[in-house]
Coordinates of all heavy atoms in Angstrom, one line a residue:
I1 N 89.7 58.5 106.4 CA 88.9 59.8 106.4 C 88.7 60.2 105.0 O 89.6 60.3 104.2 CB 89.6 60.9 107.2 CG1 89.6 60.5 108.7 CG2 88.9 62.2 107.0 CD1 90.3 61.5 109.5
H2 N 87.5 60.5 104.6 CA 87.1 60.9 103.3 C 86.7 62.4 103.4 O 85.9 62.8 104.3 CB 86.0 60.1 102.7 CG 86.4 58.7 102.4 ND1 86.1 57.7 103.3 CD2 87.0 58.2 101.3 CE1 86.6 56.6 102.7 NE2 87.1 56.9 101.6
I3 N 87.2 63.2 102.5 CA 87.0 64.6 102.6 C 85.5 65.0 102.4 O 84.9 65.7 103.2 CB 87.9 65.4 101.6 CG1 89.3 65.3 102.1 CG2 87.5 66.9 101.5 CD1 90.4 65.8 101.2
T4 N 84.9 64.4 101.4 CA 83.5 64.8 101.1 C 82.5 64.1 102.1 O 81.5 64.7 102.4 CB 83.1 64.4 99.7 OG1 83.4 63.0 99.5 CG2 83.9 65.2 98.7
N5 N 82.9 62.9 102.6 CA 81.9 62.3 103.5 C 82.2 62.5 105.0 O 81.3 62.4 105.8 CB 82.0 60.7 103.2 CG 81.5 60.4 101.9 OD1 80.7 61.1 101.3 ND2 82.0 59.3 101.4
D6 N 83.4 62.9 105.3 CA 83.7 63.1 106.7 C 84.0 64.5 107.1 O 83.5 65.1 108.1 CB 84.9 62.2 107.1 CG 84.7 60.7 106.9 OD1 83.6 60.3 107.2 OD2 85.6 60.1 106.4
I7 N 84.9 65.2 106.3 CA 85.3 66.5 106.7 C 84.3 67.6 106.3 O 83.9 68.4 107.2 CB 86.6 66.9 105.9 CG1 87.6 65.8 106.3 CG2 87.1 68.3 106.2 CD1 88.9 66.1 106.8
Y8 N 83.7 67.6 105.1 CA 82.8 68.6 104.8 C 81.5 68.6 105.7 O 81.1 69.7 106.2 CB 82.3 68.4 103.3 CG 83.3 68.8 102.2 CD1 83.0 68.5 100.9 CD2 84.5 69.3 102.5 CE1 83.9 68.8 99.9 CE2 85.4 69.6 101.5 CZ 85.1 69.3 100.2 OH 85.9 69.6 99.2
P9 N 81.0 67.5 106.0 CA 79.8 67.5 107.0 C 80.2 68.1 108.3 O 79.4 68.8 108.9 CB 79.4 66.0 107.1 CG 79.9 65.4 105.8 CD 81.1 66.1 105.5
E10 N 81.4 67.7 108.8 CA 81.8 68.3 110.2 C 81.9 69.8 110.1 O 81.5 70.5 111.0 CB 83.1 67.6 110.6 CG 82.9 66.2 111.1 CD 81.9 66.1 112.3 OE1 82.1 66.9 113.3 OE2 81.1 65.3 112.3
V11 N 82.6 70.3 109.1 CA 82.8 71.7 108.9 C 81.4 72.4 108.8 O 81.1 73.4 109.4 CB 83.7 72.1 107.7 CG1 83.7 73.6 107.4 CG2 85.1 71.5 108.0
A12 N 80.5 71.8 108.0 CA 79.2 72.4 107.8 C 78.4 72.5 109.1 O 77.8 73.5 109.4 CB 78.4 71.5 106.8
K13 N 78.5 71.4 109.9 CA 77.9 71.4 111.2 C 78.4 72.5 112.1 O 77.7 73.3 112.7 CB 78.0 70.1 111.9 CG 77.2 69.9 113.1 CD 77.5 68.6 113.9 CE 77.4 67.4 113.0 NZ 77.7 66.1 113.7
M14 N 79.7 72.6 112.1 CA 80.4 73.7 113.0 C 80.0 75.1 112.5 O 79.9 76.0 113.4 CB 81.9 73.5 112.9 CG 82.4 72.3 113.7 SD 84.2 71.9 113.5 CE 84.9 73.4 113.1
M15 N 79.9 75.3 111.2 CA 79.6 76.6 110.7 C 78.1 76.9 110.4 O 77.8 78.0 110.0 CB 80.4 76.8 109.4 CG 81.9 76.6 109.5 SD 82.7 77.6 110.8 CE 82.5 79.2 110.1
H16 N 77.3 75.9 110.7 CA 75.8 76.0 110.5 C 75.5 76.4 109.0 O 74.7 77.3 108.8 CB 75.3 77.1 111.4 CG 75.6 76.8 112.9 ND1 75.1 75.8 113.6 CD2 76.5 77.5 113.7 CE1 75.5 75.8 114.8 NE2 76.4 76.8 114.9
V17 N 76.1 75.6 108.1 CA 75.8 75.8 106.7 C 75.7 74.4 106.1 O 75.8 73.4 106.8 CB 77.0 76.5 106.0 CG1 77.1 78.0 106.5 CG2 78.3 75.8 106.1
T18 N 75.4 74.3 104.8 CA 75.3 73.0 104.2 C 76.6 72.5 103.7 O 77.6 73.2 103.6 CB 74.4 73.1 102.9 OG1 75.0 73.9 101.9 CG2 73.0 73.7 103.2
T19 N 76.6 71.2 103.5 CA 77.8 70.5 103.0 C 78.2 71.1 101.7 O 79.4 71.3 101.3 CB 77.6 69.0 103.0 OG1 77.3 68.5 104.3 CG2 78.8 68.3 102.5
M20 N 77.2 71.3 100.8 CA 77.5 71.8 99.5 C 78.1 73.2 99.6 O 79.0 73.6 98.8 CB 76.1 71.9 98.7 CG 76.3 72.3 97.3 SD 74.8 72.4 96.3 CE 74.4 70.7 96.2
S21 N 77.7 74.0 100.6 CA 78.2 75.3 100.8 C 79.7 75.3 101.1 O 80.5 76.1 100.7 CB 77.5 76.1 101.8 OG 78.1 77.3 102.1
V22 N 80.1 74.3 102.0 CA 81.5 74.1 102.4 C 82.3 73.7 101.1 O 83.4 74.3 100.9 CB 81.6 73.0 103.4 CG1 83.0 72.6 103.7 CG2 80.9 73.4 104.7
E23 N 81.8 72.8 100.3 CA 82.5 72.4 99.1 C 82.7 73.6 98.2 O 83.8 73.8 97.7 CB 81.8 71.2 98.4 CG 82.5 70.7 97.2 CD 82.4 71.5 96.0 OE1 81.3 72.1 95.8 OE2 83.3 71.4 95.1
R24 N 81.7 74.3 98.0 CA 81.7 75.4 97.0 C 82.7 76.5 97.5 O 83.5 77.1 96.8 CB 80.3 76.0 96.8 CG 80.3 77.1 95.8 CD 78.9 77.6 95.5 NE 78.1 77.8 96.7 CZ 77.0 77.1 97.1 NH1 76.6 76.1 96.3 NH2 76.4 77.4 98.2
S25 N 82.7 76.8 98.8 CA 83.5 77.8 99.4 C 85.0 77.4 99.3 O 85.8 78.3 98.9 CB 83.2 78.1 100.9 OG 81.9 78.6 101.0
I26 N 85.3 76.2 99.5 CA 86.7 75.7 99.4 C 87.1 75.8 98.0 O 88.2 76.3 97.7 CB 86.8 74.3 100.0 CG1 86.6 74.3 101.5 CG2 88.2 73.7 99.6 CD1 86.5 73.0 102.2
R27 N 86.3 75.3 97.1 CA 86.6 75.4 95.6 C 86.9 76.8 95.2 O 87.8 77.1 94.5 CB 85.5 74.7 94.8 CG 85.7 74.7 93.3 CD 84.7 73.9 92.5 NE 83.4 73.7 93.1 CZ 82.4 74.6 93.0 NH1 82.5 75.7 92.3 NH2 81.2 74.3 93.6
C28 N 86.0 77.7 95.6 CA 86.2 79.1 95.2 C 87.4 79.7 95.7 O 88.1 80.5 95.1 CB 84.9 79.9 95.6 SG 83.5 79.5 94.6
A29 N 87.7 79.4 97.0 CA 89.0 79.9 97.6 C 90.2 79.4 96.9 O 91.1 80.2 96.6 CB 89.0 79.5 99.1
I30 N 90.2 78.1 96.6 CA 91.4 77.6 95.8 C 91.5 78.2 94.5 O 92.5 78.6 94.0 CB 91.2 76.0 95.7 CG1 91.3 75.4 97.1 CG2 92.3 75.4 94.8 CD1 91.0 73.9 97.2
E31 N 90.3 78.3 93.8 CA 90.3 78.9 92.4 C 90.8 80.3 92.5 O 91.7 80.7 91.7 CB 88.9 78.8 91.8 CG 88.9 79.2 90.4 CD 87.5 78.9 89.8 OE1 86.9 77.9 90.1 OE2 87.1 79.8 89.0
S32 N 90.4 81.1 93.4 CA 90.8 82.5 93.6 C 92.3 82.5 93.8 O 93.0 83.4 93.2 CB 90.0 83.1 94.7 OG 90.5 84.4 94.9
A33 N 92.8 81.7 94.7 CA 94.2 81.7 95.1 C 95.1 81.4 93.8 O 96.1 82.0 93.6 CB 94.5 80.8 96.2
F34 N 94.6 80.4 93.1 CA 95.4 80.0 91.9 C 95.3 80.9 90.7 O 96.1 80.8 89.8 CB 95.1 78.5 91.6 CG 95.9 77.5 92.5 CD1 95.5 77.3 93.8 CD2 97.0 76.9 92.0 CE1 96.2 76.5 94.6 CE2 97.7 76.0 92.8 CZ 97.3 75.8 94.1
T35 N 94.3 81.7 90.7 CA 94.2 82.6 89.5 C 94.7 84.0 89.8 O 95.1 84.7 88.9 CB 92.7 82.7 89.0 OG1 91.9 83.2 90.1 CG2 92.2 81.4 88.5
R36 N 94.8 84.4 91.1 CA 95.2 85.7 91.5 C 96.6 85.8 92.1 O 97.2 86.9 92.1 CB 94.2 86.3 92.5 CG 92.8 86.5 91.9 CD 91.9 87.1 92.9 NE 90.6 87.1 92.4 CZ 89.5 87.5 93.1 NH1 89.6 87.8 94.3 NH2 88.3 87.5 92.5
A37 N 97.1 84.7 92.5 CA 98.4 84.7 93.3 C 99.6 84.9 92.4 O 99.5 84.5 91.2 CB 98.5 83.4 94.1
N38 N 100.6 85.4 92.9 CA 101.9 85.4 92.3 C 102.4 84.0 92.2 O 102.5 83.3 93.2 CB 102.9 86.3 93.2 CG 104.3 86.2 92.7 OD1 104.9 85.2 92.6 ND2 104.8 87.4 92.3
I39 N 102.7 83.5 91.0 CA 103.1 82.1 90.8 C 104.3 81.7 91.6 O 104.3 80.6 92.2 CB 103.4 81.9 89.3 CG1 102.1 82.1 88.4 CG2 103.9 80.5 89.0 CD1 101.0 81.2 88.7
I40 N 105.3 82.5 91.7 CA 106.5 82.2 92.5 C 106.1 81.9 94.0 O 106.5 81.0 94.6 CB 107.6 83.3 92.4 CG1 108.0 83.5 91.0 CG2 108.8 82.9 93.3 CD1 108.6 82.3 90.3
R41 N 105.3 82.9 94.5 CA 104.9 82.7 95.9 C 104.0 81.5 96.1 O 104.1 80.8 97.1 CB 104.1 84.0 96.4 CG 103.7 83.9 97.8 CD 103.1 85.2 98.3 NE 104.2 86.1 98.5 CZ 104.0 87.4 98.8 NH1 102.8 87.9 98.8 NH2 105.0 88.2 99.0
L42 N 103.1 81.3 95.1 CA 102.2 80.2 95.2 C 102.9 78.9 95.2 O 102.6 78.0 96.0 CB 101.2 80.2 94.0 CG 100.1 79.1 93.9 CD1 99.2 79.2 95.1 CD2 99.4 79.2 92.6
Q43 N 103.9 78.7 94.4 CA 104.7 77.5 94.4 C 105.5 77.3 95.7 O 105.8 76.2 96.0 CB 105.7 77.5 93.2 CG 104.9 77.3 91.9 CD 105.8 77.4 90.6 OE1 106.9 78.0 90.7 NE2 105.3 76.9 89.5
R44 N 105.8 78.4 96.3 CA 106.5 78.3 97.6 C 105.6 77.6 98.7 O 106.1 76.8 99.5 CB 107.0 79.7 98.1 CG 107.8 79.7 99.3 CD 108.4 81.0 99.6 NE 108.1 81.4 100.9 CZ 107.9 82.6 101.4 NH1 108.0 83.6 100.5 NH2 107.6 82.8 102.6
Y45 N 104.4 78.0 98.6 CA 103.4 77.5 99.6 C 102.7 76.2 99.1 O 102.3 75.4 100.0 CB 102.4 78.5 100.0 CG 102.9 79.6 100.8 CD1 103.2 80.9 100.1 CD2 103.3 79.5 102.1 CE1 103.7 81.9 100.9 CE2 103.8 80.5 102.8 CZ 104.0 81.7 102.2 OH 104.6 82.8 102.9
Y46 N 102.6 76.0 97.8 CA 102.0 74.8 97.3 C 102.9 74.2 96.2 O 102.6 74.5 95.0 CB 100.6 75.2 96.7 CG 99.8 73.9 96.4 CD1 99.1 73.3 97.4 CD2 99.8 73.4 95.1 CE1 98.4 72.1 97.1 CE2 99.0 72.2 94.9 CZ 98.4 71.6 95.9 OH 97.7 70.4 95.6
P47 N 103.9 73.5 96.6 CA 104.9 73.0 95.6 C 104.5 71.6 95.0 O 105.3 70.9 94.4 CB 106.1 72.7 96.5 CG 105.6 72.4 97.8 CD 104.3 73.2 98.0
F48 N 103.2 71.3 95.0 CA 102.7 70.0 94.5 C 102.2 70.2 93.1 O 101.7 71.2 92.7 CB 101.6 69.5 95.4 CG 101.9 69.5 96.9 CD1 101.5 70.5 97.7 CD2 102.7 68.5 97.4 CE1 101.8 70.6 99.0 CE2 103.1 68.6 98.7 CZ 102.6 69.6 99.6
P49 N 102.3 69.1 92.3 CA 101.7 69.1 90.9 C 100.2 69.2 91.0 O 99.5 68.7 91.9 CB 102.2 67.8 90.3 CG 102.4 66.9 91.5 CD 102.8 67.8 92.6
Y50 N 99.6 69.8 90.0 CA 98.2 69.9 89.8 C 97.8 70.0 88.4 O 98.7 70.2 87.5 CB 97.6 71.1 90.6 CG 98.1 72.4 90.2 CD1 97.5 73.2 89.2 CD2 99.2 72.9 90.9 CE1 98.1 74.4 88.9 CE2 99.7 74.2 90.6 CZ 99.2 74.9 89.6 OH 99.7 76.1 89.2
D51 N 96.6 69.8 88.1 CA 96.1 69.7 86.7 C 96.1 71.1 86.0 O 95.4 72.0 86.4 CB 94.6 69.2 86.7 CG 94.0 69.0 85.3 OD1 94.7 69.3 84.3 OD2 92.8 68.6 85.3
D52 N 97.1 71.2 85.1 CA 97.2 72.5 84.4 C 96.0 72.9 83.6 O 95.8 74.1 83.3 CB 98.5 72.5 83.5 CG 99.8 72.6 84.3 OD1 99.7 73.1 85.4 OD2 100.8 72.1 83.8
E53 N 95.3 71.9 83.1 CA 94.1 72.1 82.3 C 93.1 73.0 83.1 O 92.4 73.9 82.6 CB 93.4 70.8 81.9 CG 92.2 71.0 81.0 CD 91.6 69.7 80.6 OE1 92.4 68.7 80.3 OE2 90.4 69.6 80.5
H54 N 92.9 72.7 84.4 CA 92.0 73.4 85.2 C 92.6 74.6 85.9 O 92.0 75.5 86.5 CB 91.3 72.5 86.3 CG 90.4 71.5 85.6 ND1 90.8 70.2 85.5 CD2 89.2 71.6 85.1 CE1 89.8 69.5 84.9 NE2 88.8 70.4 84.6
G55 N 94.0 74.6 85.9 CA 94.7 75.7 86.5 C 94.7 75.7 88.0 O 95.2 76.7 88.6
R56 N 94.3 74.6 88.6 CA 94.3 74.5 90.1 C 94.1 73.1 90.5 O 93.6 72.3 89.7 CB 93.2 75.3 90.7 CG 91.8 74.8 90.3 CD 90.7 75.6 91.1 NE 89.4 75.0 90.8 CZ 88.9 73.9 91.5 NH1 89.6 73.4 92.5 NH2 87.7 73.4 91.3
P57 N 94.5 72.7 91.7 CA 94.2 71.4 92.2 C 92.7 71.2 92.6 O 92.0 72.2 92.8 CB 95.1 71.2 93.4 CG 95.2 72.6 93.9 CD 95.2 73.5 92.7
T58 N 92.3 70.0 92.6 CA 90.9 69.8 93.1 C 90.9 70.0 94.6 O 92.0 70.1 95.3 CB 90.5 68.3 92.9 OG1 91.3 67.4 93.7 CG2 90.5 67.9 91.4
N59 N 89.7 70.2 95.2 CA 89.6 70.4 96.6 C 90.3 69.2 97.4 O 91.1 69.5 98.3 CB 88.1 70.4 97.1 CG 87.4 71.6 96.6 OD1 87.9 72.4 95.8 ND2 86.2 71.8 97.1
T60 N 90.1 68.0 97.0 CA 90.7 66.9 97.7 C 92.2 66.9 97.5 O 92.9 66.6 98.5 CB 90.1 65.5 97.1 OG1 88.7 65.5 97.3 CG2 90.7 64.3 97.7
Q61 N 92.7 67.2 96.4 CA 94.2 67.2 96.2 C 94.8 68.3 97.1 O 95.8 68.1 97.8 CB 94.5 67.6 94.7 CG 94.3 66.5 93.8 CD 94.4 66.9 92.3 OE1 94.1 68.1 92.0 NE2 94.8 66.0 91.4
F62 N 94.1 69.5 97.1 CA 94.7 70.6 97.9 C 94.7 70.3 99.4 O 95.7 70.4 100.0 CB 93.8 71.9 97.6 CG 94.4 73.1 98.3 CD1 95.4 73.8 97.8 CD2 93.8 73.4 99.5 CE1 95.9 74.9 98.4 CE2 94.3 74.6 100.2 CZ 95.4 75.3 99.7
I63 N 93.5 69.8 99.9 CA 93.4 69.5 101.3 C 94.4 68.4 101.7 O 95.1 68.5 102.7 CB 92.0 69.2 101.7 CG1 91.1 70.4 101.5 CG2 91.9 68.6 103.1 CD1 89.6 70.2 101.6
S64 N 94.4 67.3 100.9 CA 95.3 66.2 101.2 C 96.8 66.6 101.2 O 97.6 66.3 102.1 CB 95.1 65.1 100.2 OG 93.8 64.6 100.3
N65 N 97.2 67.4 100.2 CA 98.6 67.8 100.1 C 99.0 68.8 101.2 O 100.0 68.7 101.8 CB 98.8 68.5 98.7 CG 98.9 67.5 97.6 OD1 99.3 66.4 97.8 ND2 98.5 67.9 96.4
M66 N 98.1 69.7 101.5 CA 98.4 70.7 102.6 C 98.4 70.0 104.0 O 99.2 70.3 104.8 CB 97.4 71.8 102.6 CG 97.6 72.7 101.3 SD 99.3 73.3 101.0 CE 99.5 74.5 102.3
A67 N 97.5 69.0 104.2 CA 97.5 68.3 105.4 C 98.8 67.5 105.6 O 99.4 67.5 106.6 CB 96.3 67.3 105.5
G68 N 99.3 66.9 104.5 CA 100.6 66.2 104.5 C 101.7 67.1 104.8 O 102.6 66.8 105.6
R69 N 101.7 68.3 104.2 CA 102.7 69.3 104.4 C 102.7 69.7 105.9 O 103.8 69.9 106.5 CB 102.5 70.5 103.5 CG 103.6 71.5 103.6 CD 103.5 72.6 102.6 NE 104.6 73.5 102.8 CZ 104.9 74.5 102.0 NH1 104.1 74.7 101.0 NH2 105.9 75.3 102.3
I70 N 101.6 69.9 106.5 CA 101.5 70.3 107.9 C 102.0 69.2 108.8 O 102.7 69.5 109.8 CB 100.1 70.7 108.2 CG1 99.7 72.1 107.5 CG2 99.9 70.9 109.7 CD1 98.3 72.4 107.5
R71 N 101.6 68.0 108.5 CA 102.1 66.8 109.2 C 103.6 66.7 109.2 O 104.3 66.5 110.3 CB 101.6 65.5 108.7 CG 100.3 65.1 109.3 CD 99.9 63.6 109.0 NE 99.9 63.3 107.6 CZ 98.8 63.5 106.8 NH1 97.7 63.9 107.3 NH2 98.9 63.2 105.6
I72 N 104.3 66.9 108.1 CA 105.7 66.9 108.0 C 106.3 68.0 108.8 O 107.3 67.8 109.5 CB 106.1 67.0 106.5 CG1 105.8 65.6 105.8 CG2 107.6 67.3 106.4 CD1 105.9 65.7 104.3
R73 N 105.8 69.2 108.7 CA 106.3 70.4 109.5 C 106.2 70.1 110.9 O 107.2 70.3 111.7 CB 105.4 71.6 109.1 CG 105.9 72.9 109.9 CD 104.9 73.9 110.0 NE 103.7 73.4 110.8 CZ 102.6 74.0 110.8 NH1 102.3 75.0 110.0 NH2 101.6 73.5 111.5
D74 N 105.1 69.5 111.4 CA 104.9 69.2 112.8 C 105.9 68.1 113.3 O 106.5 68.2 114.4 CB 103.5 68.8 113.1 CG 102.5 69.9 113.0 OD1 103.0 71.1 112.9 OD2 101.3 69.7 113.0
L75 N 106.1 67.1 112.4 CA 107.1 66.1 112.8 C 108.5 66.6 112.9 O 109.3 66.2 113.8 CB 107.1 64.9 111.7 CG 105.8 64.0 111.7 CD1 105.8 63.1 110.5 CD2 105.8 63.3 113.0
K76 N 108.9 67.6 112.0 CA 110.2 68.2 112.1 C 110.3 69.0 113.4 O 111.4 69.0 114.0 CB 110.4 69.1 110.9 CG 110.7 68.4 109.6 CD 110.9 69.3 108.4 CE 111.1 68.6 107.1 NZ 111.2 69.5 106.0
K77 N 109.3 69.7 113.8 CA 109.3 70.5 115.0 C 109.5 69.6 116.2 O 110.2 69.8 117.1 CB 108.0 71.3 115.2 CG 108.0 72.5 114.3 CD 106.7 73.3 114.6 CE 106.5 74.5 113.7 NZ 105.3 75.2 114.0
E78 N 108.7 68.4 116.2 CA 108.8 67.5 117.3 C 110.2 66.9 117.4 O 110.8 66.7 118.5 CB 107.8 66.4 117.1 CG 106.4 66.8 117.4 CD 105.4 65.7 117.0 OE1 105.8 64.5 116.9 OE2 104.2 66.0 116.9
A79 N 110.9 66.6 116.2 CA 112.2 66.1 116.2 C 113.2 67.1 116.8 O 114.1 66.7 117.5 CB 112.6 65.7 114.8
V80 N 113.0 68.4 116.5 CA 113.9 69.4 117.0 C 113.8 69.5 118.5 O 114.7 69.5 119.3 CB 113.6 70.8 116.4 CG1 114.3 71.9 117.1 CG2 114.0 70.7 114.9
I81 N 112.5 69.4 119.0 CA 112.3 69.5 120.5 C 112.9 68.3 121.2 O 113.5 68.4 122.2 CB 110.8 69.6 120.7 CG1 110.2 70.9 120.3 CG2 110.5 69.3 122.2 CD1 108.7 71.0 120.3
R82 N 112.7 67.1 120.6 CA 113.3 65.9 121.2 C 114.8 66.0 121.2 O 115.5 65.6 122.2 CB 112.9 64.6 120.4 CG 111.5 64.1 120.7 CD 111.3 62.7 120.2 NE 111.5 62.6 118.8 CZ 110.6 62.8 117.8 NH1 109.4 63.2 118.2 NH2 110.9 62.7 116.5
Q83 N 115.4 66.5 120.1 CA 116.9 66.7 120.1 C 117.4 67.6 121.2 O 118.3 67.4 121.9 CB 117.3 67.1 118.7 CG 118.8 67.3 118.6 CD 119.6 66.0 118.7 OE1 119.1 64.9 118.4 NE2 120.8 66.1 119.3
R84 N 116.7 68.8 121.3 CA 117.0 69.7 122.4 C 116.9 69.1 123.8 O 117.8 69.4 124.6 CB 116.1 71.0 122.3 CG 116.5 71.8 121.1 CD 115.6 73.1 121.1 NE 115.9 73.8 119.9 CZ 115.0 74.7 119.4 NH1 113.9 75.0 120.0 NH2 115.3 75.4 118.3
N85 N 115.9 68.3 124.0 CA 115.7 67.7 125.3 C 116.8 66.7 125.6 O 117.3 66.6 126.7 CB 114.3 67.0 125.4 CG 113.2 67.9 125.4 OD1 113.4 69.1 125.8 ND2 112.0 67.5 125.1
R86 N 117.3 66.0 124.6 CA 118.4 65.0 124.7 C 119.7 65.8 125.1 O 120.5 65.4 125.9 CB 118.6 64.2 123.5 CG 117.7 63.0 123.4 CD 118.1 62.1 122.2 NE 116.9 61.8 121.5 CZ 116.6 62.1 120.3 NH1 117.5 62.6 119.5 NH2 115.4 61.8 119.8
E87 N 119.9 66.9 124.4 CA 121.1 67.7 124.7 C 121.1 68.4 126.0 O 122.2 68.6 126.6 CB 121.2 68.8 123.6 CG 121.5 68.3 122.2 CD 121.4 69.4 121.1 OE1 121.0 70.5 121.4 OE2 121.6 69.0 119.9
M88 N 119.9 68.6 126.6 CA 119.8 69.2 127.9 C 120.1 68.2 129.0 O 120.4 68.6 130.2 CB 118.5 69.8 128.1 CG 118.2 71.0 127.2 SD 116.6 71.7 127.4 CE 116.8 72.6 128.9
R89 N 120.1 66.9 128.8 CA 120.3 65.9 129.8 C 121.7 65.8 130.2 O 122.7 66.0 129.7 CB 119.8 64.6 129.3 CG 118.3 64.5 129.2 CD 117.8 63.2 128.8 NE 116.5 63.3 128.3 CZ 115.8 62.4 127.6 NH1 116.4 61.3 127.3 NH2 114.6 62.6 127.2

């Protein structure tokens, strides 16, 4: 899956906007979060390295890293559920 070729067009279609609008909105949201947020809190939610020169990750870096973080969280939840189910037997 490619973010610019697969994800942006799908989001654009769902929201009835252009692909360019989706890219720009995501970029602006990331930029706003990284320029206005408390650094300690930001690092708690986004503990990944990013380009200090730009002061924020690229859209692709941000989406990929956050998707990976969500996948790991979900896998941990599933492991806890499986363990509880085993204990109940």
Side-chain angles (χ1 to χ4, degrees):
I1 293 178
H2 293 95
I3 291 174
T4 55
N5 294 333
D6 300 319
I7 305 232
Y8 289 173
E10 284 299 315
V11 172
K13 188 186 309 180
M14 288 173 23
M15 303 306 293
H16 307 288
V17 296
T18 65
T19 302
M20 187 180 289
S21 174
V22 171
E23 185 279 330
R24 183 175 48 249
S25 294
I26 292 170
R27 181 172 23 88
C28 289
I30 294 168
E31 189 171 320
S32 178
F34 278 77
T35 56
R36 297 180 186 174
N38 173 298
I39 295 297
I40 303 298
R41 181 175 284 172
L42 182 63
Q43 288 176 342
R44 187 170 126 211
Y45 291 103
Y46 192 82
F48 309 101
Y50 57 90
D51 184 1
D52 287 333
E53 182 179 322
H54 292 102
R56 66 174 187 83
T58 65
N59 291 10
T60 299
Q61 289 170 331
F62 183 84
I63 292 168
S64 296
N65 287 332
M66 293 308 288
R69 185 174 179 173
I70 291 167
R71 270 194 305 271
I72 290 169
R73 182 200 65 195
D74 290 348
L75 289 172
K76 287 179 181 179
K77 284 181 181 180
E78 289 173 14
V80 168
I81 291 168
R82 281 194 303 274
Q83 181 63 33
R84 286 182 186 159
N85 289 339
R86 276 189 227 119
E87 291 171 358
M88 294 176 78
R89 292 181 199 166

